[in-house]
Amino acid sequence: MTALTPDLLLRAYAVGIFPMADSADDDEIFWVDPDRRGIIPLQGFHLSRRFRRTLRSTPFEIRCDTAFTEVIRGCASPTADRPKTWINDEIMALYTALFERGEAHSVETWYEGELVGGLYGVSLNGAFFGESMFSLATDASKIALAHLVARLILGGYALLDTQFVTDHLRQFGAMEIPRGEYRHRLARALQIPARFQPDLPGNVVSVLQSSTQTS
């Protein structure tokens, strides 16, 4: 494929495709354009009673954009549940370059000064493309996701793309939509001048409850 650059990467996202590698050790990168695309509707984020309690009582400190490189390395590291990842060295370098330009962001969960979970993704106008997440402590990545959604709501975003839907994401309202519908939603989101909010004024639960599902 054509040599990837940060600008080419953003153009790809703008038309609905994204890059992956078969494994962290594979130098080859290919484009992905799924028939059905995973999204989490920002107005349909599912917040269970148990998870509300977790968010209110969490011992974690939440930071944004303070350890982007460490987050992407955490996402690339194999675990017992995920022995192989798709994030190779070139992908790490490309997304780090986007971060340095303010076009990628991380949401991080910290415990006693140690990074224990987080996620990262690409921001393009009113669309946020979630790339990957990792967790070294119970609920660390879930809490990072909730904080991401709250910040996207406050920032005026219209689309949270998860690429695919997993059982982990489905519990929060993730759903699959056909490629054509996804591109329609993407086109609308790209017309919106949203802004990522690294700081969250007030309580995350209050922000989520104001515009999302609860049970």
Side-chain angles (χ1 to χ4, degrees):
M1 66 185 294
T2 304
L4 277 177
T5 65
D7 287 332
L8 179 58
L9 196 53
L10 290 182
R11 290 199 296 271
Y13 277 108
V15 298
I17 61 177
F18 56 90
M20 293 184 74
D22 278 329
S23 72
D25 299 324
D26 193 336
D27 293 333
E28 295 294 322
I29 296 177
F30 56 90
W31 294 116
V32 182
D33 185 14
D35 291 335
R36 298 185 65 81
R37 192 68 162 250
I39 65 166
I40 295 179
L42 293 174
Q43 304 306 318
F45 186 75
H46 185 259
L47 196 62
S48 69
R49 290 186 180 88
R50 176 197 170 276
F51 192 52
R52 283 198 304 256
R53 291 194 298 270
T54 299
L55 283 171
R56 289 190 176 108
S57 64
T58 176
F60 300 125
E61 176 190 358
I62 307 301
R63 305 179 194 171
C64 292
D65 295 344
T66 69
F68 185 89
T69 301
E70 290 83 354
V71 168
I72 196 169
R73 285 177 180 162
C75 293
S77 297
T79 66
D81 295 332
R82 187 180 60 181
K84 186 171 79 169
T85 73
W86 53 271
I87 303 170
N88 64 13
D89 289 344
E90 183 176 5
I91 285 175
M92 279 198 241
L94 284 165
Y95 287 89
T96 299
L98 288 180
F99 169 71
E100 291 170 349
R101 291 165 36 155
E103 294 162 327
H105 300 280
S106 61
V107 180
E108 309 142 13
T109 45
W110 295 77
Y111 180 70
E112 296 184 349
E114 298 292 330
L115 181 68
V116 295
L119 56 82
Y120 75 98
V122 174
S123 177
L124 189 58
N125 297 338
F128 192 91
F129 307 88
E131 286 298 310
S132 189
M133 60 176 62
F134 81 103
S135 181
L136 301 178
T138 301
D139 291 331
S141 62
K142 293 180 181 179
I143 289 170
L145 177 61
H147 275 265
L148 170 67
V149 170
R151 283 161 171 77
L152 297 184
I153 291 170
L154 290 177
Y157 287 77
L159 177 67
L160 173 51
D161 172 9
T162 67
Q163 300 177 349
F164 305 104
V165 173
T166 64
D167 290 339
H168 177 73
L169 294 176
R170 193 171 281 112
Q171 65 185 298
F172 300 108
M175 57 187 284
E176 287 184 336
I177 58 175
R179 180 191 291 143
E181 181 181 348
Y182 171 77
R183 289 182 175 170
H184 178 67
R185 294 191 187 205
L186 173 61
R188 286 189 300 174
L190 293 178
Q191 301 304 311
I192 297 172
R195 185 179 181 86
F196 186 79
Q197 303 292 311
D199 298 315
L200 186 65
N203 184 279
V204 62
V205 175
S206 298
V207 174
L208 294 173
Q209 284 186 316
S210 68
S211 58
T212 60
Q213 301 175 21
T214 61
S215 65

